[in-house]
Amino acid sequence: ISLNDNNIIIIDYSKKPVFKEVHKIQVKSLARAIFYHNKNLFYATDLGSIFKYNFKTKKSKLIYACKEKITTLNFYNEDIIFTTLQGNIFTYNPTKRVAKKININNNFVLNTIINNDQLLCGTFNGSMIVVNLKSNEMEKQLNYHDRSVLSIVKGRGDYFYSSSLDRTLKKWKLN
């Protein structure tokens, strides 16, 4: 992602050390989040728009416009899961054109990971939020960190690891 000319550039690294630019996608604002799904590239911009880029036609199509700054982008089955700077967690089904929203007051999500039917969210204020993706409800809020959660990764079994600006790495388990 380029901050200078608002382009997403896709490079073929298979022929090292020669790199060949294979796609260049012009965007109107910063593409904050990207996700590859079903042979398409999905990207979310700071203007609150989610696009689907088709590699064969080299065309972008607007999928959803929420008018909020998007912080994360993910997929669950055929639903697009995204979060916003305004503290909203959206589940959008592009086929049915239905969006569901959960608001986390006075906070926002910095990163997400999907585990089975749950969305695990690391937040700005250091909490971990667990959302049930089937019911679209917040199951729990876990206060493991004192500052922003920078990353969440899945460990073995039901264990997860998180890192934070509070200079800690934590291992935890969902019950």
Side-chain angles (χ1 to χ4, degrees):
I1 299 175
S2 170
L3 295 175
N4 298 5
D5 57 6
N6 293 332
N7 286 301
I8 298 173
I9 299 171
I10 300 164
I11 297 175
D12 179 359
Y13 287 99
S14 64
K15 297 177 182 162
K16 295 177 183 172
V18 176
F19 304 116
K20 178 182 174 189
E21 179 182 297
V22 291
H23 291 269
K24 186 173 184 175
I25 306 166
Q26 180 69 41
V27 294
K28 293 181 180 175
S29 69
L30 177 67
R32 186 174 294 271
I34 60 175
F35 197 88
Y36 182 80
H37 181 70
N38 287 344
K39 299 182 182 179
N40 293 289
L41 182 71
F42 291 80
Y43 60 95
T45 71
D46 264 356
L47 298 177
S49 300
I50 298 174
F51 292 90
K52 174 181 169 182
Y53 179 77
N54 183 308
F55 286 101
K56 288 183 181 178
T57 64
K58 296 186 178 185
K59 301 282 184 197
S60 291
K61 177 183 177 184
L62 179 66
I63 300 297
Y64 188 76
C66 76
K67 309 231 185 308
E68 297 180 22
K69 286 191 178 183
I70 295 171
T71 56
T72 68
L73 182 67
N74 218 318
F75 277 82
Y76 170 73
N77 295 331
E78 292 306 311
D79 292 338
I80 299 171
I81 311 295
F82 63 97
T83 62
T84 69
L85 200 57
Q86 288 78 0
N88 293 314
I89 302 169
F90 285 91
T91 302
Y92 177 69
N93 185 301
T95 305
K96 298 176 183 175
R97 295 185 177 186
V98 174
K100 299 175 187 171
K101 177 174 78 169
I102 299 171
N103 183 267
I104 51 173
N105 295 325
N106 302 315
N107 200 359
F108 64 92
V109 174
L110 295 173
N111 50 68
T112 60
I113 186 171
I114 292 179
N115 180 55
N116 300 320
D117 297 325
Q118 294 175 312
L119 178 71
L120 285 66
C121 306
T123 69
F124 178 76
N125 75 3
S127 62
M128 305 293 297
I129 293 174
V130 181
V131 175
N132 182 315
L133 292 171
K134 283 188 173 182
S135 66
N136 200 50
E137 294 178 352
M138 188 177 351
E139 288 184 343
K140 50 182 106 175
Q141 182 170 328
L142 310 165
N143 297 313
Y144 290 145
H145 292 283
D146 296 325
R147 294 188 62 200
S148 298
V149 177
L150 299 175
S151 182
I152 310 166
V153 295
K154 175 112 170 76
R156 286 189 177 184
D158 293 332
Y159 288 96
F160 294 86
Y161 297 89
S162 56
S163 67
S164 168
L165 281 178
D166 65 10
R167 297 182 183 172
T168 63
L169 295 170
K170 304 235 175 153
K171 178 181 179 180
W172 46 283
K173 182 177 181 178
L174 283 177
N175 297 332

